[in-house]
Amino acid sequence: MATIPENIQQLRARMALACEQASRPVHSVTLLVVTKTFPAEDVRAAFLAGETRFGENYVQEGLDKIAVLDDLRSQIEWHMIGPLQSNKTRPVAEQFDWVHSVDRLKIAQRLSDQRPAHLPPLQLCLQVNISGEATKSGLTPDEVPDVARAVAALPRVRLRGLMAIPEPGDSLDSQRQPHHALAQLLQQLQAQGLALDTLSMGMSGDLEAAILEGSTMVRVGSAIFGQRQRHASPTTPIGQSDDTSTA
Ligand SMILES: *Cc1c(COP(=O)(O)O)cnc(C)c1O
């Protein structure tokens, strides 16, 4: 099996090619390395290969890795990308840099209230259920404008943009549709005067489609670390019911 640095190099080449095909500069797309279920040593290996942004889905697992990798804390950005319950917001507000999975105003209010004053504002994205799947969390597109305005007014957080986990599509065209819809929604919010700059979309299986549609941050796990074992968590993470079938 290829090593983590080799996989990162390949992935970076894949992202560069997608940017070229989208006529976009390579630096316009940030890589968020998704480390859920993988040990802290793998995070360190990716860090030593030059990566500095890491995404976790489960609060406790993320906190454990942040603690183990404390020596790197000032050089790493930690992103919470998994479903967040309101009774779990405090450690996230205290320890993470970003939260991509804000799916209701109450979560953002709690994160703002609980963000320590000595830290910069917590960076937020609203998660949107862009494919309209009944089982997935995320705001419906209709709900987004009101929630976005309310979140943007909170003092200790900064709303950066939108995140989605679209239904897997089997062709480039079918994959582009939900990414296109999320990009349109971001543009709509920008036209209403919100200063947003982040489209968190694209994973191992669909990052080309996401980059063609304007993604500014792709979240990639299995293309770097290999297949995940099914997580022993009582809650299935969003969009990962097909964990074992993704490339
Ligand atoms: C697991 C996960 C990813 C990464 O998915 P891969 O297919 O392994 O690249 C991205 N975003 C979210 C929200 C995830 O839960």
Side-chain angles (χ1 to χ4, degrees):
M1 208 185 102
T3 64
I4 289 170
E6 286 166 352
N7 287 339
I8 288 174
Q9 197 177 17
Q10 261 190 25
L11 178 77
R12 286 285 185 182
R14 207 179 136 193
M15 289 172 62
L17 185 62
C19 284
E20 190 182 313
Q21 281 164 355
S23 303
R24 300 180 54 195
V26 170
H27 69 254
S28 65
V29 184
T30 298
L31 173 59
L32 179 64
V33 177
V34 176
T35 47
K36 64 170 180 242
T37 79
F38 293 104
E41 304 90 82
D42 287 2
V43 182
R44 193 179 290 277
F47 173 82
L48 292 172
E51 300 305 329
T52 57
R53 297 176 177 90
F54 297 97
E56 285 287 332
N57 281 61
Y58 309 96
V59 175
Q60 193 53 53
E61 184 187 338
L63 295 173
D64 291 348
K65 277 178 229 179
I66 291 172
V68 171
L69 298 168
D70 189 52
D71 59 313
L72 305 179
R73 185 66 190 90
S74 64
Q75 300 168 77
I76 286 183
E77 249 178 34
W78 287 102
H79 295 234
M80 173 50 59
I81 61 174
L84 190 50
Q85 293 162 350
S86 56
N87 62 356
K88 297 262 181 69
T89 52
R90 183 174 294 280
V92 172
E94 290 175 350
Q95 308 248 13
F96 280 78
D97 301 294
W98 282 66
V99 179
H100 293 231
S101 43
V102 174
D103 61 359
R104 50 197 193 279
L105 178 59
K106 183 184 172 191
I107 295 287
Q109 284 167 333
R110 290 179 65 90
L111 291 170
S112 181
D113 289 347
Q114 295 167 344
R115 181 67 168 174
H118 69 276
L119 294 177
L122 189 64
Q123 310 294 302
L124 303 186
C125 290
L126 298 181
Q127 183 174 350
V128 185
N129 184 358
I130 202 71
S131 307
E133 290 159 275
T135 54
K136 274 197 192 157
S137 51
L139 295 155
T140 66
D142 287 352
E143 293 170 323
V144 169
D146 285 350
V147 176
R149 269 189 297 274
V151 172
L154 295 171
R156 299 291 305 137
V157 295
R158 176 155 169 235
L159 183 63
R160 296 293 296 270
L162 303 176
M163 179 273 237
I165 311 169
E167 234 173 12
D170 48 16
S171 69
L172 184 65
D173 279 346
S174 65
Q175 288 178 357
R176 285 181 72 161
Q177 280 176 25
H179 294 116
H180 185 74
L182 194 72
Q184 297 272 94
L185 189 56
L186 186 80
Q187 277 179 22
Q188 186 189 321
L189 299 174
Q190 289 166 331
Q192 292 171 6
L194 292 174
L196 305 177
D197 62 8
T198 301
L199 267 179
S200 167
M201 59 183 196
M203 318 202 308
S204 294
D206 62 2
L207 67 90
E208 283 82 5
I211 288 174
L212 280 168
E213 295 298 344
S215 169
T216 67
M217 201 183 293
V218 292
R219 309 178 308 266
V220 179
S222 51
I224 296 171
F225 300 111
Q227 295 297 316
R228 282 179 294 275
Q229 301 300 310
R230 224 166 247 287
H231 197 271
S233 161
T235 53
T236 305
I238 301 176
Q240 293 308 309
S241 53
D242 60 341
D243 259 4
T244 52
S245 62
T246 49

